[in-house]
């Protein structure tokens, strides 16, 4: 993996190689694209068929849904689900550097709008005004925010403006709630205040503060430092502190850019399995929930059985957090958990501890694919107070069951797996850095995913976003990186995020 100090020619070669790989596979992808159109023409697919059946009902009144972030898997999945459920879907997203988002070409969208991205210089006014124009012009009933981490606070501001100046309702937390959940330090403080378990956590704004905590802690404890703000360059650094020697510890801490303006948290390291969750919260009630195994860069999704002890425990935590919060929350709520195993003379017991919260939609929403009616109904429960009979949905009741995935499908992204499981290990094999058996194992895993898993972006009845993602969007981003001499270490195919270094 390249980093900030890697020579520029290596970064150039990385971008150029990925563009060449895209061109190499372009004929195969194009064949799959037109084959999908032919297959969908001669053999009607479930999604469009469900939509026609719902729209044929005389009692159904479609709602107009605005979904931002359709260039990412999570936004695209929700757009397709609402399309299947018979509603009119409008998509919007940022398209920095003029590179078009793959979601704009989805069959599920009635319209697409390019939004101005909030910046430190211009603030959020242009972004919010653009959203408000879309809402008023297209008479949007519900805005579902699926934007990324960079615009979390601005989405909270937009929610307050939209609901104040139009009849549109928003699946998005307000500014105060978003800010509290978004920042690692304030989220930890709030969780402790609510009496829920979190790892031992300290706010630190100087290197002296870091060393003071480390010197006073028991020797058997280890800690991880996390930047309170968004910093791609250090996000993947999971170095355990203290290091093996005092000098190594001081050397590592000395390289961390820490100050009052750039605070960090020092969080106890828990050696256990990591899980993540995605929840839809409407008016203080959890309406949808899924839990799955997690990773630092999660690109393979498999839902935990909803009846499993771990899934039930994480759902209980989510419900308890929402119930104990002072406000009636509405938005997407995603927690990251670690399972802490504590052993004594009575045996071993497992404890869930939440380490982070993401107040936005999670890519795990892809695990709800195929459940259009259930998912759309849970979102539209926000409009229940304004609904009348004959709109195709009855108002939600307190006893309405929480929507969980009803299938065991597993999801991957073919572009990510092709590079990480096949091509990169092949390069390492040529260089003598890995063994043939390891490369064969990676190829076998890749083929198993292709044959038995589902791609997070591809569906037969809507294949163009998948084709566009790999042969226009990402090559465009790599070309921009070459022209602007941007250095990056990793990319997340599902969220289209490039981690700059």
């Amino acid at each position: 993996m390249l980093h900030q100090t890697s020579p520029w020619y290596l970064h150039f070669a990385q971008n150029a190689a990925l563009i060449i790989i895209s061109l190499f596979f372009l004929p195969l992808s194009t064949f799959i694209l037109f084959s999908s159109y032919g297959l969908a023409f001669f053999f009607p697919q479930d999604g469009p068929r469900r939509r026609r059946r719902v729209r044929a009902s005389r009692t159904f009144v479609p709602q107009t849904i605005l979904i931002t972030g359709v260039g990412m898997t999570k936004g695209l999945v929700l757009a397709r689900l609402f399309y299947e459920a018979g509603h009119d879907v409008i998509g919007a997203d940022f398209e920095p550097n003029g590179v078009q988002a793959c979601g704009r070409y989805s069959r599920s969208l009635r319209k697409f709008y390019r939004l101005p991205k909030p910046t430190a210089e211009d603030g959020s006014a242009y972004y919010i005004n653009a959203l408000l124009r879309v809402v008023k012009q297209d008479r949007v009933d519900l805005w579902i925010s699926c934007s990324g981490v960079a615009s979390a606070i601005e989405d909270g501001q937009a929610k307050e403006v939209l609901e104040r100046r139009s009849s549109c309702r928003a699946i998005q937390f307000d500014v105060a709630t978003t800010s509290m959940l978004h920042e690692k330090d304030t989220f930890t403080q709030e969780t402790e205040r609510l009496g829920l378990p979190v790892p031992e956590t300290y706010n630190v704004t100087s290197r002296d503060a870091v060393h003071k905590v480390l010197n006073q802690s028991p020797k058997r404890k280890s800690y991880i430092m996390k930047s309170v703000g968004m910093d791609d360059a250090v996000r993947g650094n999971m170095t355990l502190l203290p290091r093996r020697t005092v000098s190594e510890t001081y050397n590592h801490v000395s390289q961390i850019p820490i100050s009052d303006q750039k605070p960090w948290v020092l969080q106890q390291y828990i050696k256990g399995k990591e899980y993540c969750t995605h929840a839809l919260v409407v008016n203080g009630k959890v309406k949808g929930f899924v839990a799955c195994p997690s990773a630092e860069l999660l690109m393979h999704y498999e839902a935990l059985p909803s009846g499993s002890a771990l899934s039930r425990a994480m759902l209980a935590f989510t419900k308890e957090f929402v119930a104990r919060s002072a406000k009636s929350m509405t938005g997407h709520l995603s927690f990251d958990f670690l399972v802490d195993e504590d052993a004594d003379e009575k045996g071993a017991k497992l404890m869930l501890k939440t380490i982070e919260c993401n107040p936005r939609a999670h890519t795990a929403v892809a695990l709800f694919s195929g459940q259009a009616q259930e998912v759309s109904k849970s979102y539209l429960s926000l409009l229940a107070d304004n609904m009348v009979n004959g709109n195709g949905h009855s108002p939600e009741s307190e006893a309405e069951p929480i929507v969980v995935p009803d299938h065991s499908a597993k999801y991957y992204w073919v572009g990510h797996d092709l590079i990480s499981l096949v091509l990169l290990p092949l390069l390492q094999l040529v260089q003598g850095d890995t063994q043939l058996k390891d490369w064969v194992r990676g190829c076998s895993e890749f083929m198993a995913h292709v044959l038995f898993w589902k791609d997070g972006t591809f569906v037969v009845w809507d294949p163009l976003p998948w084709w566009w993602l790999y042969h226009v969007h990402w090559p465009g981003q790599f070309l921009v990186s070459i022209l602007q001499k941007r250095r990056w270490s990793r990319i997340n195919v599902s969220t289209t995020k490039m981690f700059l270094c």
Side-chain angles (χ1 to χ4, degrees), residues 224-369:
I224 293 176
M225 288 194 67
K226 299 179 180 180
S227 175
V228 171
M230 187 180 66
D231 190 344
D232 290 345
V234 298
R235 180 174 177 177
N237 191 333
M238 295 288 110
T239 302
L240 295 182
L241 296 175
R243 304 292 291 156
R244 187 172 57 87
T245 65
V246 173
S247 61
E248 287 181 3
T249 301
Y250 271 81
N251 181 59
H252 177 79
V253 174
S254 68
Q255 300 176 37
I256 296 175
I258 182 172
S259 65
D260 291 335
Q261 290 71 39
K262 290 186 176 182
W264 290 60
V265 295
L266 192 62
Q267 191 171 76
Q268 179 189 355
Y269 170 71
I270 297 174
K271 186 179 180 180
K273 292 184 178 180
E274 187 174 348
Y275 297 87
C276 61
T277 64
H278 165 86
L280 169 65
V281 181
V282 176
N283 289 330
K285 300 292 181 182
V286 178
K287 299 291 186 176
F289 180 83
V290 63
C292 56
S294 187
E296 200 278 317
L297 183 62
L298 184 58
M299 292 303 302
H300 298 137
Y301 285 82
E302 178 182 3
L304 288 176
S306 59
S308 68
L310 274 176
S311 181
R312 293 201 310 270
M314 286 182 268
L315 173 58
F317 179 98
T318 303
K319 294 170 71 173
E320 198 64 27
F321 185 95
V322 172
R324 295 185 190 184
S325 297
K327 297 181 179 180
S328 181
M329 307 169 75
T330 293
H332 295 116
L333 190 61
S334 302
F335 291 118
D336 289 340
F337 291 96
L338 281 172
V339 177
D340 187 11
E341 184 172 343
D342 187 18
D344 55 25
E345 65 276 4
K346 297 181 181 179
K349 61 179 180 179
L350 300 179
M351 288 187 61
L352 277 178
K353 291 188 177 180
T354 180
I355 55 174
E356 277 188 22
C357 175
N358 298 303
R360 51 191 172 273
H362 196 289
T363 307
V365 74
L367 296 165
F368 290 97
S369 294

Side-chain angles (χ1 to χ4, degrees), residues 123-140:
S124 59
Y126 291 119
Y127 169 59
I128 295 174
N129 287 334
L131 280 175
L132 186 60
R133 282 196 300 271
V134 173
V135 165
K136 291 185 174 181
Q137 176 179 316
D138 292 276
R139 298 182 180 181
V140 172

Side-chain angles (χ1 to χ4, degrees), residues 165-468:
R165 298 176 60 181
S166 73
S167 60
C168 176
R169 303 295 301 277
I171 300 293
Q172 168 64 44
F173 299 118
D174 58 26
V175 175
T177 303
T178 302
S179 180
M180 179 271 293
L181 296 173
H182 177 67
E183 303 293 350
K184 297 178 181 65
D185 53 347
T186 54
F187 165 68
T188 301
Q189 293 166 7
E190 176 67 6
T191 306
E192 288 180 327
R193 186 188 71 80
L194 296 177
L196 297 170
V198 292
E200 183 180 321
T201 305
Y202 301 91
N203 299 328
V204 288
T205 56
S206 68
R207 296 180 180 89
D208 288 341
V210 175
H211 292 302
K212 182 177 181 181
V213 173
L214 296 178
N215 293 334
Q216 293 179 351
S217 67
K219 290 185 178 181
R220 63 184 179 86
K221 285 189 178 182
S222 296
Y223 297 86
I224 293 176
M225 288 194 67
K226 299 179 180 180
S227 175
V228 171
M230 187 180 66
D231 190 344
D232 290 345
V234 298
R235 180 174 177 177
N237 191 333
M238 295 288 110
T239 302
L240 295 182
L241 296 175
R243 304 292 291 156
R244 187 172 57 87
T245 65
V246 173
S247 61
E248 287 181 3
T249 301
Y250 271 81
N251 181 59
H252 177 79
V253 174
S254 68
Q255 300 176 37
I256 296 175
I258 182 172
S259 65
D260 291 335
Q261 290 71 39
K262 290 186 176 182
W264 290 60
V265 295
L266 192 62
Q267 191 171 76
Q268 179 189 355
Y269 170 71
I270 297 174
K271 186 179 180 180
K273 292 184 178 180
E274 187 174 348
Y275 297 87
C276 61
T277 64
H278 165 86
L280 169 65
V281 181
V282 176
N283 289 330
K285 300 292 181 182
V286 178
K287 299 291 186 176
F289 180 83
V290 63
C292 56
S294 187
E296 200 278 317
L297 183 62
L298 184 58
M299 292 303 302
H300 298 137
Y301 285 82
E302 178 182 3
L304 288 176
S306 59
S308 68
L310 274 176
S311 181
R312 293 201 310 270
M314 286 182 268
L315 173 58
F317 179 98
T318 303
K319 294 170 71 173
E320 198 64 27
F321 185 95
V322 172
R324 295 185 190 184
S325 297
K327 297 181 179 180
S328 181
M329 307 169 75
T330 293
H332 295 116
L333 190 61
S334 302
F335 291 118
D336 289 340
F337 291 96
L338 281 172
V339 177
D340 187 11
E341 184 172 343
D342 187 18
D344 55 25
E345 65 276 4
K346 297 181 181 179
K349 61 179 180 179
L350 300 179
M351 288 187 61
L352 277 178
K353 291 188 177 180
T354 180
I355 55 174
E356 277 188 22
C357 175
N358 298 303
R360 51 191 172 273
H362 196 289
T363 307
V365 74
L367 296 165
F368 290 97
S369 294
Q371 297 175 253
Q373 292 300 325
E374 299 94 325
V375 171
S376 62
K377 186 177 180 181
S378 64
Y379 278 89
L380 290 172
S381 64
L382 181 61
L383 307 180
D385 292 341
N386 300 323
M387 285 184 177
V388 295
N389 292 333
N391 67 349
H393 295 290
S394 60
E396 292 285 298
S397 67
E398 293 293 324
E400 197 74 32
I402 295 173
V403 179
V404 297
D406 64 358
H407 53 78
S408 57
K410 303 174 184 179
Y411 288 84
Y412 79 112
W413 283 260
V414 66
H416 173 271
D417 279 14
L418 176 65
I419 299 296
S420 63
L421 296 178
V422 180
L423 298 182
L424 189 56
L426 178 60
L427 177 62
Q428 294 170 341
L429 178 64
V430 172
Q431 294 173 336
D433 295 332
T434 190
Q435 297 181 352
L436 178 61
K437 64 178 181 180
D438 295 325
W439 180 70
V440 172
R441 187 183 303 115
C443 292
S444 299
E445 184 180 350
F446 174 72
M447 289 307 302
H449 291 175
V450 171
L451 294 174
F452 304 113
W453 290 35
K454 292 185 177 182
D455 186 274
T457 306
F458 178 82
V459 292
V460 171
W461 60 267
D462 189 26
L464 187 53
W466 172 83
W467 183 93
W468 194 271

Side-chain angles (χ1 to χ4, degrees), residues 28-79:
L28 176 60
S29 297
T30 304
F31 173 78
I32 293 173
L33 173 70
F34 285 103
S35 297
S36 299
Y37 282 131
L39 189 63
F41 180 79
F42 290 106
F43 302 96
Q45 300 297 302
D46 288 342
R49 188 165 52 208
R50 280 193 288 263
R51 177 179 177 83
R52 287 193 295 269
R53 186 168 57 246
V54 173
R55 299 278 286 204
S57 172
R58 294 183 179 180
T59 61
F60 178 77
V61 177
Q63 304 293 313
T64 301
I65 313 296
L66 170 63
I67 300 178
T68 50
V70 293
M72 296 179 279
T73 296
K74 53 189 176 183
L76 181 59
V77 166
L78 285 172

